[in-house]
Amino acid sequence: MKNVWITLRTSAILFVLCCVLYQLAITGIAKVAMPHQAAGSLVYNSNHDVIGSELIGQSFTDPHYFQGRVSSIEYNANGSGSPNYAPSNPDLSKRIEESVAAWQKQNPDVPVSSLPVDLVTNSGSGLDPDITPQAAAAQIPRISQLTGLKADQLQSLVQENTTSAQLGIFGEPAVNVLKLNLAVQQLRAQS
């Protein structure tokens, strides 16, 4: 019986230490050291309403704005993932053909050979908020034509919203589509 009480007390102490105190300490440190990230990296509009997170992609279907990567889960953040189709899978081929056809319809001035692969493929999570600078640049002619904004203005916005590799070696340059579209919206409002 003595061993049972020792085991229960040890379990209770470890539970409090590992599951309660540790979590509170880490959350507290994060809120002090990185308050924006600890709060979910939320993005606000001009009225200070939350419109999204820097970390979770959104679907932008309005052709006046930049569009992100394809998402098999429709950017539903309740669960992430994408189908692991092999390159030979007919469902993957069909989805890519549909994505390319949609691209051609919305971007008739940009040849398919200039279509960056990240605009027709999923990310591993299906929630990727970023595209490559090349994917953003490929959309500039369409957005310029539809909005009346100059291509060089849009290129400047892409450059301003491009992040480089972390510490210069981790990852690739990327453009956050939500932040870029907010910048486009602000530029349109000023015009």
Side-chain angles (χ1 to χ4, degrees):
M1 194 64 171
K2 182 179 177 183
N3 288 339
V4 172
W5 284 111
I6 291 173
T7 303
L8 289 174
R9 279 190 308 213
T10 303
S11 296
I13 290 169
L14 287 174
F15 176 80
V16 170
L17 284 174
C18 297
C19 298
V20 178
L21 296 178
Y22 176 78
Q23 298 298 328
L24 289 173
I26 294 300
T27 302
I29 291 168
K31 285 189 176 196
V32 170
M34 304 175 289
H36 177 69
Q37 292 87 343
S41 300
L42 300 176
V43 177
Y44 299 87
N45 65 11
S46 58
N47 296 330
H48 301 292
D49 298 323
V50 175
I51 57 169
S53 170
E54 295 175 16
L55 306 174
I56 299 175
Q58 296 182 18
S59 176
F60 294 98
T61 56
D62 186 339
H64 292 81
Y65 293 100
F66 289 90
Q67 296 165 2
R69 295 188 73 165
V70 175
S71 175
S72 297
I73 59 171
E74 302 300 323
Y75 294 105
N76 182 349
N78 289 329
S80 66
S82 62
N84 288 328
Y85 292 141
S88 60
N89 188 304
D91 290 337
L92 177 63
S93 297
K94 179 181 175 191
R95 190 187 51 73
I96 289 176
E97 288 171 7
E98 290 170 356
S99 294
V100 169
W103 168 264
Q104 287 176 308
K105 183 178 177 183
Q106 287 188 346
N107 302 278
D109 298 332
V110 181
V112 174
S113 61
S114 298
L115 173 60
V117 70
D118 57 319
L119 290 178
V120 294
T121 57
N122 283 343
S123 65
S125 68
L127 299 171
D128 194 350
D130 302 322
I131 56 176
T132 61
Q134 296 80 8
Q139 298 179 64
I140 288 175
R142 178 193 77 237
I143 295 167
S144 178
Q145 181 182 9
L146 293 174
T147 63
L149 297 172
K150 295 179 182 174
D152 60 337
Q153 290 176 303
L154 293 168
Q155 184 60 42
S156 292
L157 289 181
V158 169
Q159 289 173 349
E160 290 168 15
N161 286 282
T162 299
T163 57
S164 59
Q166 295 176 357
L167 303 175
I169 56 171
F170 298 112
E172 298 290 325
V175 180
N176 186 284
V177 179
L178 176 59
K179 288 178 158 182
L180 180 58
N181 283 336
L182 284 174
V184 169
Q185 190 176 45
Q186 290 173 351
L187 190 59
R188 289 180 69 190
Q190 294 170 359
S191 297

